[in-house]
Amino acid sequence: MDAFTRFTNQTQGRDRLFRATQYTCMLLRYLLEPKAGKEKVVMKLKELESSVSTGRKWFRLGNVVHAVQATQQSIHATDLVPRLCLTLSNLNRVIYFICDTILWVRSVGLASGINKEKWRMWAARHYYYSLLLSLVRDLYEISLKMEQIAHDRAKKKKSSFQNPPEHSVADEETEWLQSFLLLLFRSLRSHPPLLLDTVKNLGDILNPLNQLGIYKSNAGVIGLGGLISSIAGIIIVAYPQMKLKIR
Amino acid sequence: MDAWVRFSAQSQARERLCRAAQYACCLLGHALQRHGASPELQKQIRQLEGHLSLGRKLLRLGNSADALESAKRAVHLSDVVLRFCITVSHLNRALYFACDNVLWAGKSGLAPHVDQEKWAQRSFRYYLFSLIMNLSRDAYEIRLLMEQESSACSRRLKSSGGGVPEGIEIGGSGGPGAPGGSLPQLALKLRLQVLLLARVLRGHPPLLLDVVRNACDLCIPLDKLGLWRCGPGIVGLCGLISSILSILTLIYPWLRLKP
């Protein structure tokens, strides 16, 4: 219980737990909706989802400052590609949080003249750009890691003599694909923070893709993606060494 | 900017900020009503207060576990009175949070058959007991410190040469003088006690903060349970003061009263 208390004392920890609940409700609703006799359960899930989603806005108020600070930190990254990607990604997050705050002001009734749809689209667009840039950075890091592992393995192979056996062109292609996938698997396994960050971004990007109409999926897919990314986020908060550091 | 990031990373800090905003809205709404502001603006403020209240209930989900954990830790205190007061206070807080969770479930539509009035009254009752325990603990600490201070004072007076004049001996049940102590003597004793109290509180800011906070918080359940109807203005002001004080204890951890 002590670990749970320490986890929930952090705003991010609590927020990710609620997020996981929200997307679980979305997924369960999608699975139970077509079934007969489950209307009450589906309605309760909908109410829970909407109240948790509304309540989470309180966790996001003031996160503009967090995103500005993250932008300042990412400007100091040593490598060019991560520096560019992370800075632009964090700038997009700043704009996303500004749009989110404006939507909050509208939802509590403080200012009624705000066009909710327009600002929601803006928020979704900038969230999408920020996730896309994070994914570019992840892919860059993965490719670096794969190069490094391939280089290490080539060095190890040089020391031991081996005659490459004869094989056909088709075999060569499947072997290339197999070794590529193996290299990808090895590089992700050796660097869990990178794996977690990639999984989180991939899970998160499904929602804005659906909202912007780029890739229309259903509530089940979005719910599953959101749940997986929330679990990855919970692991990152519970074990801070799993956070992907800026090099 | 760094300070805000570190402060808002604690979920309790965000909840306290929402609490301060909620009671500020309550106070503002009362002030607007008194000065005849437009009903539109009053409705907006009331709506914001309602949103804040519901949002805070969600932010507080899971606080029961925190309160139980604190109660478990308090059971190991050495002083009996402190152990009793703090443990019972945390247990009452845990029950208050549990009732609050039930109210959230009712308000958010998960359990629509919840009797909001009954559970609200229950939660305020537990909150009141917890505050009474906190104030008892504060009174006990103050009494201990006053005794310490007065014995230190009399030691200082004794060592600075000469005996202590009888009527001026403080912190005792009166010297072996006239049994029915005259009025001026009583007034002098009372004045000395008050001065001693002021000295003790001034020398221990965490204790002073805790006393003021608990005293301000006391108005809220007393008003809601109908024991002392002070009105939304006083409730809003007291709630705002206690929220600001608890935000101060979060920003400056040395201001928190340690058992």
Side-chain angles (χ1 to χ4, degrees):
Chain A
M1 197 151 74
D2 193 35
F4 175 74
T5 314
R6 264 182 289 121
F7 181 77
T8 52
N9 271 342
Q10 301 177 63
T11 307
Q12 247 193 345
R14 242 179 236 235
D15 183 41
R16 301 248 160 112
L17 270 176
F18 286 138
R19 191 171 191 260
T21 313
Q22 183 185 337
Y23 283 109
T24 313
C25 288
M26 200 189 263
L27 180 64
L28 285 174
R29 232 177 3 115
Y30 174 75
L31 293 172
L32 291 176
E33 216 151 18
K35 295 205 163 82
K38 301 276 182 189
E39 289 89 18
K40 258 177 101 171
V41 180
V42 167
M43 203 175 70
K44 288 243 165 83
L45 284 171
K46 195 163 177 196
E47 301 259 7
L48 178 60
E49 190 193 323
S50 102
S51 58
V52 170
S53 162
T54 317
R56 274 185 60 222
K57 289 201 211 290
W58 299 104
F59 284 120
R60 290 202 295 263
L61 275 184
N63 273 7
V64 190
V65 181
H66 292 238
V68 169
Q69 201 196 40
T71 315
Q72 279 180 347
Q73 279 171 354
S74 53
I75 289 177
H76 299 298
T78 46
D79 226 355
L80 177 66
V81 176
R83 192 179 343 152
L84 196 64
C85 289
L86 280 177
T87 310
L88 288 174
S89 162
N90 283 321
L91 278 173
N92 274 293
R93 262 182 66 210
V94 171
I95 304 175
Y96 161 68
F97 281 126
I98 293 175
C99 298
D100 195 51
T101 309
I102 292 174
L103 282 169
W104 171 83
V105 166
R106 168 79 164 79
S107 73
V108 294
L110 279 176
S112 44
I114 294 174
N115 185 348
K116 213 158 72 159
E117 268 318 305
K118 185 178 91 170
W119 285 98
R120 204 177 279 176
M121 273 298 144
W122 271 65
R125 200 175 307 141
H126 287 282
Y127 185 47
Y128 168 65
Y129 292 153
S130 119
L131 286 173
L132 204 62
L133 287 159
S134 298
L135 274 172
V136 167
R137 180 264 184 126
D138 287 335
L139 287 171
Y140 174 75
E141 298 270 355
I142 289 174
S143 69
L144 276 186
K145 206 69 192 166
M146 280 167 74
E147 248 181 63
Q148 190 195 358
I149 289 183
H151 186 71
D152 289 341
R153 283 178 65 76
K155 255 200 322 203
K156 260 192 253 175
K157 261 200 178 133
K158 250 193 208 165
S159 54
S160 59
F161 272 167
Q162 255 184 29
N163 263 335
E166 297 285 331
H167 41 232
S168 65
V169 176
D171 283 341
E172 252 181 50
E173 271 185 20
T174 49
E175 208 180 270
W176 178 87
L177 187 65
Q178 249 180 4
S179 58
F180 176 81
L181 287 173
L182 201 63
L183 203 56
L184 178 67
F185 172 72
R186 279 215 175 95
S187 58
L188 285 175
R189 198 180 60 179
S190 68
H191 204 31
L194 184 56
L195 172 65
L196 275 175
D197 198 60
T198 313
V199 165
K200 194 162 81 81
N201 289 328
L202 282 173
D204 280 337
I205 209 164
L206 291 168
N207 198 4
L209 280 176
N210 185 52
Q211 275 183 312
L212 296 168
I214 301 173
Y215 173 61
K216 284 231 172 266
S217 48
N218 52 45
V221 170
I222 298 174
L224 185 64
L227 178 61
I228 292 174
S229 87
S230 304
I231 292 175
I234 287 171
I235 296 175
I236 294 174
V237 172
Y239 302 103
Q241 67 268 26
M242 292 295 225
K243 195 171 159 74
L244 189 61
K245 307 272 187 302
I246 304 172
R247 284 186 301 115
Chain B
M1 201 155 63
D2 195 39
W4 163 255
V5 170
R6 264 182 291 120
F7 177 72
S8 63
Q10 302 174 64
S11 59
Q12 219 192 2
R14 271 191 204 236
E15 197 261 319
R16 293 283 129 174
L17 274 174
C18 287
R19 187 176 194 256
Q22 183 186 337
Y23 284 111
C25 285
C26 184
L27 185 61
L28 192 63
H30 174 74
L32 288 175
Q33 201 180 28
R34 281 273 298 274
H35 296 278
S38 70
E40 179 70 34
L41 183 61
Q42 281 186 46
K43 194 176 105 167
Q44 267 183 341
I45 298 285
R46 263 201 308 272
Q47 223 179 15
L48 180 61
E49 195 191 326
H51 280 287
L52 279 164
S53 167
L54 193 58
R56 268 182 69 214
K57 288 205 190 326
L58 182 83
L59 289 175
R60 286 201 296 238
L61 280 180
N63 273 11
S64 292
D66 193 28
L68 282 174
E69 193 61 35
S70 309
K72 234 170 50 172
R73 274 200 300 265
V75 167
H76 300 296
L77 286 172
S78 45
D79 191 313
V80 177
V81 178
L82 280 183
R83 197 189 315 165
F84 175 72
C85 287
I86 300 179
T87 311
V88 173
S89 161
H90 282 305
L91 284 174
N92 275 298
R93 258 183 63 217
L95 286 167
Y96 160 67
F97 285 129
C99 294
D100 198 55
N101 294 346
V102 172
L103 281 171
W104 174 81
K107 281 215 168 94
S108 64
L110 275 179
H113 306 297
V114 161
D115 187 355
Q116 295 273 327
E117 238 345 278
K118 189 175 86 173
W119 283 95
Q121 292 285 310
R122 246 182 224 169
S123 77
F124 282 121
R125 226 174 290 145
Y126 288 126
Y127 187 41
L128 181 65
F129 293 154
S130 148
L131 285 173
I132 291 174
M133 282 290 120
N134 284 345
L135 282 169
S136 314
R137 178 262 182 112
D138 288 336
Y140 176 72
E141 297 251 19
I142 288 175
R143 200 187 133 82
L144 277 183
L145 285 169
M146 275 170 77
E147 270 175 27
Q148 261 178 21
E149 189 73 30
S150 75
S151 62
C153 261
S154 36
R155 266 205 305 274
R156 264 198 297 252
L157 281 170
K158 279 203 183 107
S159 67
S160 67
V164 183
E166 240 171 54
I168 307 192
E169 194 154 304
I170 38 180
S173 45
S182 58
L183 209 57
Q185 217 177 26
L186 267 171
L188 183 65
K189 247 199 198 133
L190 194 67
R191 190 159 166 258
L192 284 169
Q193 292 277 17
V194 169
L195 281 173
L196 187 61
L197 175 70
R199 197 192 167 104
V200 158
L201 286 175
R202 207 176 50 195
H204 293 88
L207 185 55
L208 173 64
L209 221 69
D210 202 56
V211 169
V212 175
R213 202 159 62 96
N214 289 324
C216 287
D217 274 339
L218 201 62
C219 304
I220 303 164
L222 286 178
D223 180 81
K224 294 281 181 351
L225 290 169
L227 294 166
W228 178 44
R229 293 224 175 266
C230 24
I234 306 261
V235 166
L237 182 66
C238 288
L240 181 62
I241 292 173
S242 83
S243 306
I244 291 174
L245 290 177
S246 61
I247 288 172
L248 279 175
T249 58
L250 284 169
I251 299 175
Y252 305 109
W254 58 272
L255 278 176
R256 202 177 311 164
L257 188 63
K258 308 275 187 307

